[in-house]
Amino acid sequence: MESSLLDETGIDRRIAQRLRSLRAERGWSLDELAKRSGVSRATLSRLENAEVSPTASVLGKLCAAYGLTMSRLMHMVEGEFAPVVRRDVQATWSDPEIGFRRRSISPPAQTLAGEALECELDSDVRISYDAPPRPGLEHHLLLVTGRLAVTVDGRTHELGAGDCLRYQLFGPSAFATPEEMGAKYLLFIV
């Protein structure tokens, strides 16, 4: 599931280019994007220049500001639609600083609404998102292994292997694993 250093450097560079072009398309300054996203101007500049790799939290904030799902952003970076996506070419992205990895099993496409992700969180990890990329976004989360607490609309759902949580996002959300165990889950977004 690990990408080579060359692949990670390449995807970081493509993310930087896409972030820069999204801001330019809207005619926003770095200051305007900082206000809309809650990410500092300095961090935005470093991201757009590929000086740093984005974290899951920062990408979540930027996607919310642009009204995109993270997977839609990654699709813009990763390539074109194909009906069959072989495992060896499914794009992966990681935030090693917090212990988060995602594999785009079935990436979004212009003509298809749904997408599927395989995600892994190390033990004792918490990822919070301030706002959904698009209000009302529908998620179906199937926990494959481990334990995971998912907070949606102020309510925390404790999940065990095999449990499925279905929800729509209208506000903040959070994903947390306990100290002793990580989690692997499939996320279907419609």
Side-chain angles (χ1 to χ4, degrees), residues 15-27:
I15 289 171
Q17 291 168 344
R18 175 48 71 184
L19 291 174
R20 192 171 33 252
S21 68
L22 285 168
R23 187 173 56 80
E25 288 167 10
R26 286 157 178 79

Side-chain angles (χ1 to χ4, degrees), residues 140-152:
H140 298 255
L141 187 153
L142 173 63
L143 186 59
V144 177
T145 60
R147 290 191 4 228
L148 182 66
V150 181
T151 304
V152 180

Side-chain angles (χ1 to χ4, degrees), residues 90-190:
Q90 293 169 1
T92 60
W93 178 80
S94 67
D95 181 347
E97 187 174 304
I98 63 166
F100 174 65
R101 293 163 299 285
R102 74 179 274 290
R103 182 168 58 89
S104 188
I105 299 168
S106 175
Q110 297 292 338
T111 57
L112 302 174
E115 57 191 277
L117 303 171
E118 178 185 78
C119 302
E120 292 182 65
L121 287 173
D122 291 344
S123 60
D124 200 22
V125 170
R126 180 176 173 84
I127 298 176
S128 298
Y129 299 99
D130 296 331
R134 186 177 73 239
L137 195 62
E138 182 179 347
H139 285 189
H140 298 255
L141 187 153
L142 173 63
L143 186 59
V144 177
T145 60
R147 290 191 4 228
L148 182 66
V150 181
T151 304
V152 180
D153 292 331
R155 182 172 176 207
T156 300
H157 306 274
E158 299 286 340
L159 305 176
D163 292 347
C164 182
L165 175 64
R166 302 178 300 171
Y167 57 95
Q168 285 185 286
L169 283 175
F170 290 99
S173 61
F175 299 77
T177 54
E179 273 186 37
E180 68 278 0
M181 180 180 304
K184 181 177 183 178
Y185 57 94
L186 299 175
L187 184 62
F188 303 93
I189 303 172
V190 183

